[in-house]
Amino acid sequence: MSKLNQVIYSNINDSNSWTIDEYLKQGGYSVWKDILADQENKNSNWIIEEVKKSGLRGRGGAGFPTGLKWSFMPNNDDQKYIVCNSDESEPGTCHDRDILKYNPHVLVEGMAIAAYAIGATVGYNYVRGEFMLECYPRIEAAVKEAYEAGLLGGNILESGVDFDLYNFLGAGAYICGEETGLLESLEGKQGKPRFKPPFPANFGLYGKPTTVNNTQTLASIPKIIENGSKWYSDFGTEKSPGTLIFSISGHINNPGNYELPLGLTFNEVIEIAGGILDERKLKAVIPGGSSTKVLPAKIIENCTMDYESLQSADSALGTGAMIIIAEDTCMVELLKRISRFYFAESCGQCTPCREGTGWLYRILDRITNGQGLSGDLSLLEDVAGRIEGNTICAFGDASAWPVQSFLKHYHHEFKYMIENKGKSVAAG
Amino acid sequence: MNELLTPETKKEMDHWLNKFPKGKQRSAIIGSLHAVQHQNEGFLTSELMDAVANYLDVPKIQVYEVATFYSMFQTKPAGKHEISVCTNISCMLRGSDAILNHIEHKLGINVGESTSDGKIFLKEEEECLAACTGAPMMMVDHVYIENIDIKKVDEVIDKLTSKS
């Protein structure tokens, strides 16, 4: 499979890929050492330009251009921070987990390079709490090994460059994946997102200039600098360059994480993952984590897996977490589960989201319990519309979009259930 | 008050304190609560939260706020061993509801409750646990167990209940 695992997962093999010995054997940390040894040519501007040219976009879901984000950092003597968002929790998404587990040093090196580029001397890697025993010990050991090898700390390899890196462990809150919620959590508070502006580049951790990047984004950096921006952008398409790790789950024969060039057709990707489970027929796909809009088979089968194609289909690439849904799945029950999640995870700070997510869940709950009312579908749309765009962070939108898209494409299933006292179309 | 904290817990709290700039000890609250909850076998008490506040030199309310916001902290007594069954969409599509029902039935408790002998706490898990490609999955004392079925679940639980 020549298309598979060419950048971030490229050095994951059968041996102990998470140890520094194995990482060094495969050329790891050579980029970091080269930068430190040749700071005149490989300066901050050069790195930021390379990352811009590579076309790398934030892999946490929003897809913001990484180089551009880095260029927002002020050029002053203030203490600056690089923060990695390893609070992986978008439903359907589990590829950062594999980076932390099998390739932690590429993240350490990526964070060091990013810190150098933005002028940060301290970094924090925020790992979700549930990864306590599985991923956290690996990334913690990697940081320790990197310190012991003299690749982190003060005056690294006599270069005059300082960079201290610390891992942080969260404690279970989806909202901390939102970058300002994450910063609040890192400060030891409830993870309630902040108003933006000011953006973290101006007012971040402890009020200091901060860049927050996703794990996969930062893990892409060493190879981009090593092989050049063109090498990276040649994977993928003109507007969606590079590779993305697709977490493919649900009704699929070989669920897994597949790092693939962007722009493959949906059908190619499904074939790589072994096809739809048990030869069943495809019904729908949630293409980028539960916050992205559901697409029926007939739409997604004509899409390519990249930012533009999914956007023009009125959904989004999101985190690349493809949740595959086969025929005979009840879309009402599925949406109810999604809405339960957003209701439980709303931080409660904005009224439309705190109250609205509860309304959405309770209406869906009564529909599935056979007590749906004839006005419930317009009520759902009304409530979703009142949340969307009216909250501090994008969580509110993320709770509304599934409701709007499920109703748009599967209106008849909801209507049938209300008219038939909770009986599902899918039940036959 | 600090005597409520074991030397291991204090060592762990110092480890967290050392990661943050001077005066930013509030950042160590989450790590400290993990340590204290571990010491107390699965849940926090007011006395322990107060001891954390005292040791870190932060107002008690800051510790309570954190303890009640994050789902991994239990502020009511809970069983010693924690089981979380992921029921978010990827796991739901692969049959997690039947697994959770089976566990509830087997243990004779509802999700969110602990067994009367205090051995097992069946946590209500709303978040996706980020192991979607190994669905259905569950977490037992923070260890991920993937691609589970009824047989595997029975083995794991029988082993837990036979432990002290």
Side-chain angles (χ1 to χ4, degrees), chain A residues 89 92 94 97 124 128 132 136 167 170-173 185-186 188-191 206 249-252 337 340-341, chain B residues 16 19-20 26-27 34 65-66 69-72 87-88 90 93-94 97 126-128 130 132-133 144 146:
Chain A
S89 46
C94 57
R97 173 183 176 225
Y124 289 98
R128 76 174 287 180
M132 180 186 275
Y136 191 80
N167 291 302
S185 181
L186 200 46
K189 303 171 192 164
Q190 299 188 341
Y206 308 128
S249 69
H251 295 142
I252 187 84
R337 186 62 49 92
R340 188 186 82 179
F341 164 71
Chain B
W16 287 106
K19 295 187 181 212
F20 308 104
R26 191 174 180 180
S27 287
H34 276 307
E65 274 180 6
V66 166
F69 184 80
Y70 294 91
S71 71
M72 286 178 76
T87 54
N88 212 299
S90 296
L93 291 169
R94 301 298 290 239
D97 288 7
E126 301 285 3
E127 248 194 292
C128 164
C132 320
T133 56
Y144 278 47
E146 298 176 59

Side-chain angles (χ1 to χ4, degrees), chain B residues 132-152:
Chain B
C132 320
T133 56
M137 65 80 65
M138 65 179 182
M139 195 170 67
V140 177
D141 292 337
H142 305 299
V143 175
Y144 278 47
I145 308 174
E146 298 176 59
N147 300 307
I148 52 176
D149 52 24
I150 302 287
K151 188 168 162 272
K152 206 156 161 183

Side-chain angles (χ1 to χ4, degrees), chain A residues 79-92:
Chain A
Q79 172 67 53
K80 300 185 188 70
Y81 295 103
I82 177 82
V83 172
C84 176
N85 183 347
S86 296
D87 189 42
E88 179 166 62
S89 46
E90 174 67 19

